[in-house]
Amino acid sequence: MKMLYIKLKFLPIFSLIYRLMRRFIIKCFRIKSFFRKKVFDFEEVIEFGDLLLESLDRRVGEYIHEFPLPDKKGVWVHDLYFPSPLIVSSFKDNPVALEVWLKMGMGGFIFKTILENSQEGNPRPRIVDFDQKGEILNAMGLPGKGLEGLRNIICSNQALLGFERPVGISVGGKTKEEYCRNFLFMNKLCDNFPKTAFFFELNISCPNIDEGKSLTENHESFKETLLFLRKHTSRVVGVKLSPDQSNEDIVRYIETISELDKTYVNLGNTTYRDRKKMGLSSEDFFPKGGGLSGDSLFPRTLEMLQLAKPFNVPVLSTGGVSKLEQAESLLQEGASLVGIATALVKDPYRVIQMNLEVLNSKETD
Ligand SMILES: Cc1cc2nc3c(=O)[nH]c(=O)nc-3n(C[C@H](O)[C@H](O)[C@H](O)COP(=O)(O)O)c2cc1C
């Protein structure tokens, strides 16, 4: 009890140390690239950060990663219970990082979008961290280990399921047929788990794979795919829309989603930005453009939420949330859940603060 009290009191210090360390590590990698005459690749920092996180978690995780989760103020989305409305958005498949964020008190998480086969994604460098702005530009192109990789994670990381918080599986695909095939595989994989352990999220809005865009551009194909999922599972199914879709389009998609049982809509994803407009050369960022995430997305996130108001469908609001006021305004405006990605990478301790304060402020309602 005393330890917990000290940890909570020292959250701002944890946060400061984390941010300073992060900056220091990035500087070291920049200097290393300079001396080796190599292009600076932010992904190397991420890889190092993941190893550091794993090592810290093994040694001192109890002191620096474990934070409380007041389980009385959770949220129901159909038959799924999220003990906190703040959840980890789909962007990471490293089980250690996901486990740490659950220990820190996140209400659940959604795995990074999965395609059928293992693939490398786009050429590097394909991710840039705008430190001062609280933003990240990425064009990863959905690298990952495919369906077999997902099977390995689920079968060998029982700890992730031991938290008993809903786990989302983000279904990707380069064609409608691939979406359906991937989904059937994933659905079978979850067969032995209770309905409340897993849910599915159809990612139709990834801006980095040309073919993946097709479902945002072809409403009929989207509808058929969603119906296919609905027909084959009784688990909750969500659809992640893009802030780059027009308002008219978003309303049309929400209408379709709200007509089916046990669905939700995730509003939204990264927004497309041209590399040049972000002041980047091909040396800094190889692809011509990518998805911008972080602070500047928030006004559009709030705007998209208004579009869902006339419909009776739960909303997961995602994009640019890093402050308590932002999470609160989304929840007050009707969002059931709030998804977070960039802010967790930039400073997870600030997210813990926000998590506890959101729950506390809900308590006084
Ligand atoms: C590095 C990175 C990878 C991402 N990968 C995925 C993904 O695989 N699937 C997906 O639906 N969204 C992906 N996203 C988008 C996030 O889930 C989230 O919707 C977006 O970043 C906006 O939230 P934020 O401002 O809190 O970061 C990714 C974002 C980042 C920064």
Side-chain angles (χ1 to χ4, degrees), residues 24-246:
F24 174 72
I25 292 169
I26 294 174
K27 273 254 151 61
C28 290
F29 271 84
R30 277 195 189 282
I31 293 169
K32 190 178 116 191
S33 313
F34 177 78
F35 281 112
R36 291 196 173 166
K37 295 194 169 56
K38 268 182 67 192
V39 170
F40 170 70
D41 183 355
F42 187 68
E43 246 172 284
E44 288 180 10
V45 180
I46 298 177
E47 285 153 10
F48 175 79
D50 283 350
L51 289 177
L52 185 64
L53 187 80
E54 195 169 339
S55 155
L56 284 173
D57 193 52
R58 244 185 287 122
R59 290 178 171 81
V60 287
E62 185 190 344
Y63 305 106
I64 64 169
H65 292 154
E66 286 181 18
F67 286 86
L69 181 71
D71 62 0
K72 276 183 256 141
K73 292 291 152 190
V75 180
W76 285 95
V77 174
H78 305 293
D79 53 10
L80 301 176
Y81 179 71
F82 296 83
S84 160
L86 303 191
I87 69 167
V88 184
S89 188
S90 160
F91 79 111
K92 194 90 180 165
D93 55 8
N94 174 351
V96 177
L98 294 169
E99 200 182 318
V100 165
W101 291 327
L102 290 183
K103 280 188 199 168
M104 287 180 161
M106 300 301 281
F109 70 86
I110 305 174
F111 275 117
K112 182 166 176 55
T113 305
I114 293 149
L115 295 172
E116 189 164 25
N117 299 314
S118 168
Q119 61 159 33
E120 293 289 321
N122 289 326
R124 287 160 73 158
R126 55 196 180 177
I127 180 161
V128 169
D129 177 76
F130 297 96
D131 190 32
Q132 307 299 334
K133 282 192 185 158
E135 290 172 350
I136 289 175
L137 185 74
N138 96 84
M140 307 291 282
L142 298 182
K145 301 207 169 70
L147 296 173
E148 283 307 326
L150 176 70
R151 188 208 298 272
N152 289 340
I153 293 181
I154 290 181
C155 295
S156 56
N157 287 280
Q158 293 306 316
L160 269 182
L161 301 173
F163 284 86
E164 294 189 348
R165 288 177 220 171
V167 171
I169 301 183
S170 175
V171 188
K174 295 180 183 175
T175 60
K176 194 181 100 185
E177 290 70 28
E178 189 192 328
Y179 270 107
C180 296
R181 270 199 314 276
N182 293 351
F183 161 73
L184 286 179
F185 182 99
M186 294 163 176
N187 196 29
K188 185 129 187 52
L189 207 58
C190 302
D191 253 1
N192 297 330
F193 295 94
K195 277 204 187 58
T196 48
F198 289 102
F199 61 101
F200 297 105
E201 183 171 277
L202 200 51
N203 177 13
I204 63 167
S205 56
C206 174
N208 300 321
I209 292 181
D210 284 346
E211 307 95 306
K213 265 185 175 178
S214 61
L215 292 190
T216 56
E217 286 162 6
N218 186 336
H219 186 257
E220 265 318 298
S221 284
F222 158 71
K223 204 169 165 178
E224 284 163 23
T225 313
L226 183 62
L227 281 170
F228 181 88
L229 263 66
R230 186 63 297 155
K231 191 174 138 202
H232 287 88
T233 180
S234 55
R235 295 179 192 274
V236 171
V237 173
V239 179
K240 187 168 186 178
L241 301 184
S242 162
D244 295 340
Q245 289 177 259
S246 68

Side-chain angles (χ1 to χ4, degrees), residues 264-323:
Y264 74 89
V265 58
N266 184 349
L267 306 166
N269 208 325
T270 54
T271 182
Y272 185 80
R273 286 285 188 284
D274 193 274
R275 170 181 78 197
K276 275 198 198 131
K277 284 201 180 128
M278 297 300 295
L280 299 170
S281 69
S282 59
E283 285 240 309
D284 309 314
F285 190 83
F286 187 80
K288 285 205 162 63
L292 187 70
S293 63
D295 288 356
S296 61
L297 291 187
F298 185 72
R300 178 67 174 145
T301 304
L302 199 55
E303 184 184 39
M304 285 190 288
L305 180 57
Q306 308 305 320
L307 303 175
K309 275 195 171 161
F311 301 98
N312 183 22
V313 64
V315 176
L316 159 56
S317 267
T318 311
V321 180
S322 64
K323 296 189 187 79

